Amino acid sequence: MDKTINKPQQGDILSVNRGLYKHYGVYVGNNTVVHFSGGKGHELSACRARIRKTSLENFSRNGEVQVETRCTESYSPKETVMRALDAVGSEKGKYALPWNNCEHFANWCRYGKKRSAQVEQFAANVIGITTLVLGAVFIGKIFEEDFIC
């Protein structure tokens, strides 16, 4: 069953929520999506990861597909589709969650830049938590020194 909110157009970046993360691909038409994946049952497998062409139904895995729109400066839909299709079967620089995942690939196809908002948000959260912990330790040491005397 297709649970697509907006009917995708050629060259659109699609995402589907997988719970802890979103999976991304490029819609190339005819209910087909090109995406970085380890294959059926191995979506996050780095050793099996390739750029694959699959049906929209298989891409969605019964999830709700979203059409992602981020900025207006992009390749044309035709160029986006060509970039995606040209990469099918390749490793496109080997899968690596922090710097070369499905979202990086989809954004590269559409915008020419490998970027993952999910990775950026995660990194910002880690930095924020680290800063908070280090700040608490530092403040604790200051108070400790003030009250030891």
Side-chain angles (χ1 to χ4, degrees), residues 139-149:
I139 290 170
K141 290 289 183 189
I142 291 172
F143 282 115
E144 186 179 289
E145 289 174 8
D146 286 345
F147 293 111
I148 290 178
C149 302

Side-chain angles (χ1 to χ4, degrees), residues 13-78:
I13 293 178
L14 304 181
S15 71
V16 62
N17 192 325
R18 297 277 195 255
L20 294 175
Y21 67 97
K22 282 184 170 182
H23 184 59
Y24 287 82
V26 176
Y27 186 74
V28 296
N30 297 322
N31 286 322
T32 304
V33 179
V34 173
H35 59 121
F36 215 150
S37 174
K40 190 173 183 176
H42 302 282
E43 192 168 273
L44 295 176
S45 173
C47 62
R48 295 176 184 237
R50 300 275 183 285
I51 307 301
R52 300 177 191 273
K53 188 165 61 167
T54 185
S55 70
L56 181 59
E57 182 179 3
N58 285 342
F59 173 79
S60 73
R61 290 194 343 211
N62 293 320
E64 187 175 304
V65 175
Q66 300 284 327
V67 175
E68 298 280 333
T69 304
R70 291 219 168 84
C71 63
T72 56
E73 289 185 34
S74 66
Y75 290 108
S76 70
K78 182 178 179 180

Side-chain angles (χ1 to χ4, degrees), residues 102-142:
C102 59
E103 187 177 8
H104 288 105
F105 171 72
N107 282 320
W108 174 82
C109 290
R110 180 73 186 252
Y111 305 112
K113 296 179 182 164
K114 288 186 175 185
R115 186 159 184 234
S116 172
Q118 293 177 107
V119 170
E120 291 167 5
Q121 184 61 53
F122 176 78
N125 289 343
V126 168
I127 290 168
I129 290 169
T130 302
T131 302
L132 182 65
V133 168
L134 291 175
V137 168
F138 180 72
I139 290 170
K141 290 289 183 189
I142 291 172

